[in-house]
Amino acid sequence: MNKNVRILFIVASLVLIVAVGASTASAAASPFYGAWESTDMADGSYQLLHIGGGPGNSHRIRYYDFGATVCGVDPESGQILYGGWAKGFVAGSGNTLSGTLPFYCHTTPPALWGNVTFQFTYDPATDSITDGWGNVWTRK
């Protein structure tokens, strides 16, 4: 009897391994997943973007602009005073992600600047992303 239980356990384990492997292989990871970087065409600041999974077709993003002109510019020097960030979930459809997220300035305390609409389009030929402002993002 003990031998039959072991054989049944081994067979059930193999079936489970095959089933999990097949479902993992069929669910390809989004080409958006990972860390991305770009230079803001508007002001030359460095930008960083992290994209991960979310429920359904959504993707979790964390966006950082290390020199957000909307957060303040020194009137004398013209230097950008603060960076900014946004995080949350955006919807995915094909090679496009889009959604509106709150954008915060990295002041003390952080200040809500307003809601910003983000759009990212993946180009499989170059493995890059272009955002709605024309900035091209490459993998970090």
Side-chain angles (χ1 to χ4, degrees):
M1 183 82 160
N2 195 10
K3 182 179 178 181
N4 290 338
V5 171
R6 273 189 269 150
I7 291 172
L8 183 60
F9 176 75
I10 291 170
V11 169
S13 297
L14 289 173
V15 168
L16 182 61
I17 289 169
V18 169
V20 169
S23 68
T24 303
S26 67
S30 169
F32 286 101
Y33 290 177
W36 302 85
E37 61 186 348
S38 75
T39 300
D40 189 340
M41 291 177 18
D43 60 24
S45 64
Y46 178 70
Q47 300 180 111
L48 187 59
L49 178 67
H50 293 274
I51 302 176
N57 288 331
S58 69
H59 290 66
R60 179 169 180 74
I61 69 166
R62 291 177 298 166
Y63 164 82
Y64 303 93
D65 183 345
F66 287 81
T69 54
V70 298
C71 293
V73 177
D74 184 298
E76 293 180 19
S77 68
Q79 293 286 336
I80 299 170
L81 298 173
Y82 303 103
W85 55 272
K87 67 180 179 177
F89 292 93
V90 295
S93 178
N95 284 340
T96 302
L97 299 180
S98 62
T100 301
L101 301 173
F103 183 82
Y104 292 89
C105 294
H106 198 67
T107 55
T108 305
L112 174 63
W113 179 80
N115 290 320
V116 175
T117 299
F118 290 89
Q119 181 171 327
F120 302 100
T121 303
Y122 177 72
D123 181 353
T126 60
D127 190 33
S128 65
I129 295 173
T130 302
D131 65 26
W133 299 281
N135 299 305
V136 177
W137 296 76
T138 55
R139 290 193 187 272
K140 184 169 171 46

